[in-house]
């Protein structure tokens, strides 16, 4: 699997160091990103740091986002990690306030976008995510 990690115009997007909501998408290498499947939505005060941890977990246990070892070794697939929305805080706020703003925005995006690996109303991972994600990826691969 090819991985694009916060890539913008061929380089890393510096905004990924900051706070915001991020997304993981999977699709076919060379396909339009509009055809990619949304796997996961998350939030963090440092998106790049949190997503690095997610990638580590994916390779330790692919079922983390509903993937399999077969997906990780498939050179036709590409995983894209990118900013959904960066959030800057104009004034000094407490960590609790910052975290609440980020969680509320994350929840809003999850409800709107319905990522494959997550429950529709919160950031919990679906129990049956391996079946859901696996089936969706098989459909992508069969379109070739």
């Amino acid at each position: 699997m090819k991985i694009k990690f916060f890539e913008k115009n061929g380089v890393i997007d510096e905004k990924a160091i900051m706070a915001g909501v991020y997304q993981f998408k999977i699709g076919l290498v060379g396909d339009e990103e509009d055809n990619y499947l949304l796997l996961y939505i998350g939030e963090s005060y440092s998106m790049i740091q949190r997503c690095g941890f997610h990638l580590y977990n994916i390779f330790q246990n692919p079922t983390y986002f509903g993937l399999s070892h077969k997906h990780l070794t498939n050179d036709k697939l590409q995983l894209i990690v990118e900013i959904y929305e960066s959030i800057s805080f104009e004034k000094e706020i407490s960590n609790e306030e910052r975290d609440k703003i980020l969680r509320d925005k994350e929840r809003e995006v999850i409800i709107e976008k319905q990522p494959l690996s997550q429950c529709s109303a919160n950031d919990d991972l679906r129990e049956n995510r391996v079946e859901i994600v696996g089936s969706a990826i098989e459909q992508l691969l069969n379109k070739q």
Side-chain angles (χ1 to χ4, degrees):
M1 175 186 315
K2 182 177 177 184
I3 298 173
K4 285 178 68 176
F5 190 72
F6 292 109
E7 189 178 310
K8 183 177 181 182
N9 300 324
V11 297
I12 199 145
D13 187 340
E14 291 181 11
K15 290 181 181 178
I17 296 167
M18 309 307 259
V21 175
Y22 55 84
Q23 60 188 3
F24 279 70
K25 302 186 304 189
I26 193 163
L28 299 174
V29 172
D31 202 357
E32 295 291 323
E33 287 189 27
D34 291 345
N35 296 329
Y36 275 55
L37 304 171
L38 182 60
L39 282 181
Y40 183 82
I41 296 285
E43 55 80 14
S44 181
Y45 63 90
S46 175
M47 293 179 282
I48 201 165
Q49 180 183 26
R50 181 70 177 132
C51 290
F53 183 72
H54 284 317
L55 282 178
Y56 172 82
N57 282 321
I58 288 170
F59 280 89
Q60 291 299 308
N61 177 12
T63 63
Y64 184 66
F65 283 168
L67 301 169
S68 70
H69 287 286
K70 180 176 77 170
H71 298 135
L72 297 182
T73 58
N74 188 326
D75 60 358
K76 295 177 184 175
L77 294 174
Q78 178 169 249
L79 185 69
I80 297 177
V81 184
E82 63 187 3
I83 296 171
Y84 179 83
E85 182 179 334
S86 59
I87 300 172
S88 60
F89 300 98
E90 302 292 321
K91 60 180 178 135
E92 283 289 318
I93 61 173
S94 70
N95 289 348
E96 292 81 19
E97 290 174 303
R98 177 200 66 202
D99 293 347
K100 181 179 180 344
I101 291 167
L102 289 169
R103 278 191 310 270
D104 289 348
K105 183 62 181 177
E106 173 195 40
R107 191 172 299 112
E108 175 186 311
V109 176
I110 289 170
I111 291 168
E112 176 189 342
K113 298 293 184 178
Q114 303 284 306
L116 292 174
S117 68
Q118 288 170 291
C119 297
S120 59
N122 57 45
D123 68 347
D124 293 344
L125 292 169
R126 295 178 193 264
E127 288 184 25
N128 61 342
R129 65 189 175 275
V130 171
E131 293 82 23
I132 292 170
V133 171
S135 175
I137 291 173
E138 286 307 311
Q139 288 178 9
L140 272 182
L141 291 168
N142 288 334
K143 285 182 181 179
Q144 292 184 307

